[in-house]
């Protein structure tokens, strides 16, 4: 804004023009962080989008300020050339836009919702001082050059610094707030991004000495203890061996739907085709591929799980 409470347009138009800051409007880019915050190309797009929004808002604010100043001068009976408020508002707006990256950097270093409060306060107090100093310095330089080209003199007094800092502080806070809100919105995953990507089929390594046979977990029909080895029954008929206790294999395959049905048997629950009583509370499990596995009464949890998995022969049990 270019008018002040302690002066009139007459005095303002005749005196040596001094500095005035831009209206505190605008936005800036966003941080992200782990911050959860967007990285790479998304972060760059967010930052430039915020800067573009800041430019539009500041242009609008500058236009309102210019028209307000001209109207105020007209009401007071002072003839004011349009170029004067346009120059003052334009140089302040350009200087503010050129200094916005200071806010961006400060917000990236200390997002309000992350890190200790003392660090956040320290970073942003320093950020406001650097932002105001950069804005005033660039604004003064631009006005000095433009006024000199027009044959006039422009001065900025250090006594104006507190006044400029108060306005720049408000600008910094507004820019930082909008910047932070845009960051949070930009980092919120869309419903489509929340859907897990199709997971690659799980695999299991059957190690036999120095040899490794990598098979899909879904291809394993069952595993049985064979002395110090575990024999795997694969859907293609192969029967590879691995030197390991069955309990170790059970630990690895249990998350993939394998169930311990006997002290010597581990079956793929997804492969169960039928359950049939075998007497004395035991059952016989039909797994397809010509393979039948025992289900001991000592494993009631396995029986309950297999009965409840929707097996087509459930009723036969």
């Amino acid at each position: 804004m270019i008018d002040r409470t302690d002066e009139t347009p007459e005095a303002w138009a005749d005196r040596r023009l001094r500095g005035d800051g831009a209206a505190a409007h605008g936005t800036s880019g966003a941080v992200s962080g782990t911050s959860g915050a967007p990285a790479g190309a998304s972060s760059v797009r967010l930052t430039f989008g915020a800067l573009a929004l800041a430019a539009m808002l500041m242009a609008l604010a500058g236009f309102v300020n210019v028209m307000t100043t001209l109207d105020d001068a007209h009401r007071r009976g002072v003839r004011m050339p349009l170029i004067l408020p346009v120059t003052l508002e334009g140089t302040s707006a350009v200087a503010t836009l050129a200094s916005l990256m200071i806010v961006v950097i400060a917000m990236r270093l200390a997002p309000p919702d992350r890190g200790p409060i003392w660090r956040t306060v320290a970073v942003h107090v320093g950020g406001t001082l650097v932002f105001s100093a950069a804005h005033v310095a660039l604004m003064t330089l631009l006005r000095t050059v433009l006024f000199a080209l027009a044959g006039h003199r422009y001065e900025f007094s250090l006594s104006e610094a507190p006044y400029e800092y108060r306005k720049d502080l408000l600008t910094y806070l507004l820019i930082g707030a909008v910047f932070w809100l845009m960051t949070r919105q930009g980092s919120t995953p869309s419903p489509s991004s929340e859907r897990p990507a199709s997971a690659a089929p799980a695999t299991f390594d059957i190690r036999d000495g120095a040899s490794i046979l990598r098979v899909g977990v879904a291809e394993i029909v069952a595993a049985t203890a064979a002395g110090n080895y575990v024999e795997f029954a694969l859907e293609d008929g192969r029967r590879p061996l691995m030197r390991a206790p069955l309990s170790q294999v059970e630990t690895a395959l249990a998350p993939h739907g394998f169930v311990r049905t006997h002290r010597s048997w581990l079956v793929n629950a997804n492969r169960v085709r039928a359950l049939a009583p075998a007497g004395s509370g035991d059952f016989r499990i039909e797994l397809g591929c010509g393979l039948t596995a025992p289900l001991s009464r000592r494993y009631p949890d396995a029986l309950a799980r297999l009965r409840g998995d929707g097996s087509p022969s459930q009723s036969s049990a």
Side-chain angles (χ1 to χ4, degrees), residues 80-136:
M80 180 178 296
L82 177 62
I83 189 63
L84 186 57
V86 168
T87 299
L88 294 176
E89 289 295 330
T91 53
S92 182
V94 169
T96 300
L97 286 173
S99 304
L100 286 185
M101 286 307 298
I102 296 173
V103 185
V104 174
I105 293 172
M107 291 297 294
R108 290 187 183 279
L109 291 175
D113 55 344
R114 299 190 187 95
I117 186 64
W118 64 265
R119 180 177 181 273
T120 301
V121 172
V123 169
H124 290 295
V125 167
T128 60
L129 295 172
V130 175
F131 173 73
S132 183
H135 167 247
V136 170

Side-chain angles (χ1 to χ4, degrees), residues 196-253:
S198 298
T203 59
F204 182 80
D205 290 342
I206 300 175
R207 301 174 180 271
D208 183 10
S211 301
I212 298 177
L213 175 62
R214 178 163 295 174
V215 299
V217 169
E219 299 176 40
I220 303 174
V221 180
T224 60
N228 294 328
Y229 289 83
V230 174
E231 181 182 50
F232 293 87
L234 305 184
E235 65 178 354
D236 60 5
R238 288 179 295 170
R239 296 293 187 269
L241 292 170
M242 182 170 77
R243 187 179 180 86
L246 186 63
S247 59
Q248 178 181 326
V249 175
E250 179 185 5
T251 300
L253 293 180

Side-chain angles (χ1 to χ4, degrees), residues 6-153:
D6 59 345
E7 58 186 54
T8 64
E10 294 92 337
W12 178 77
D14 292 336
R15 69 179 173 83
R16 293 183 302 174
L17 294 172
R18 296 179 180 176
D20 196 8
H25 294 279
T27 64
S28 180
V31 64
S32 64
T34 330
S35 68
S42 297
S43 179
V44 172
R45 286 195 298 269
L46 184 62
T47 299
F48 277 99
L51 292 177
L53 178 59
M56 290 188 290
L57 291 177
M58 296 186 71
L60 177 61
F63 173 77
V64 172
N65 288 340
V66 168
M67 298 307 297
T68 300
T69 300
L70 292 174
D71 182 65
D72 184 62
H74 177 72
R75 290 174 183 272
R76 293 172 182 264
V78 177
R79 184 177 179 83
M80 180 178 296
L82 177 62
I83 189 63
L84 186 57
V86 168
T87 299
L88 294 176
E89 289 295 330
T91 53
S92 182
V94 169
T96 300
L97 286 173
S99 304
L100 286 185
M101 286 307 298
I102 296 173
V103 185
V104 174
I105 293 172
M107 291 297 294
R108 290 187 183 279
L109 291 175
D113 55 344
R114 299 190 187 95
I117 186 64
W118 64 265
R119 180 177 181 273
T120 301
V121 172
V123 169
H124 290 295
V125 167
T128 60
L129 295 172
V130 175
F131 173 73
S132 183
H135 167 247
V136 170
L138 183 55
M139 177 185 70
T140 302
L141 176 62
L142 292 173
R143 291 179 179 179
T144 299
V145 172
L146 292 176
F147 273 78
L149 292 175
H152 299 285
R153 182 182 177 186

